[in-house]
Amino acid sequence: TTTSIPAAASIRINTGGPAYRDSLGNSWSADNSFSGGEADTKIVEIASTADDTIYQSTRSSLNFAYKLPVANGTYRVRLHFAELSSVINQGDRIFNVLLENSPALSSFDLLKEAGRYGALTKTF
């Protein structure tokens, strides 16, 4: 079943993790609407946020996707990132992000931009 989300609504998904209510009172649903990838959680302190929980869980693989049931239209997409690996160096994990099959981030090196265990938000 596909459900349309009202235009004013926000969809917040705690990627790879459980449902959560953040420090501003916003509700994040448990991980859903994905195909592929493996979920993982690492409990570490995340710099630059009051909401460590939404940065401590991940979904990763060489190829995975989220497909959200929204009506046609223009949307603001905000992605929250944190590098949780303690064994990689800058340049070791480079990835791309596609939105509607169009590049949003290309050759993105999260460790270079945010450092290890640092919160980073990108808005498109």
Side-chain angles (χ1 to χ4, degrees), residues 10-23:
S10 292
I11 300 172
R12 293 180 182 88
I13 299 172
N14 186 13
T15 302
Y20 174 69
R21 184 170 305 277
D22 69 24
S23 61

Side-chain angles (χ1 to χ4, degrees), residues 36-105:
E38 296 291 325
D40 192 22
T41 300
K42 186 170 187 179
I43 306 302
V44 294
E45 187 173 330
I46 306 296
S48 304
T49 184
D51 292 298
D52 289 3
T53 299
I54 62 172
Y55 294 93
Q56 293 172 332
S57 56
T58 64
R59 177 160 298 283
S60 62
S61 84
L62 293 178
N63 194 8
F64 68 97
Y66 281 83
K67 185 175 181 179
L68 303 177
V70 297
N72 287 339
T74 302
Y75 293 88
R76 180 178 341 175
V77 176
R78 187 171 294 135
L79 302 175
H80 297 261
F81 299 96
E83 179 55 71
L84 302 180
S85 176
S86 60
V87 297
I88 68 165
N89 297 304
Q90 285 185 17
D92 286 352
R93 187 188 336 258
I94 304 295
F95 60 93
N96 301 320
V97 174
L98 302 176
L99 297 175
E100 291 292 320
N101 296 316
S102 296
L105 292 172

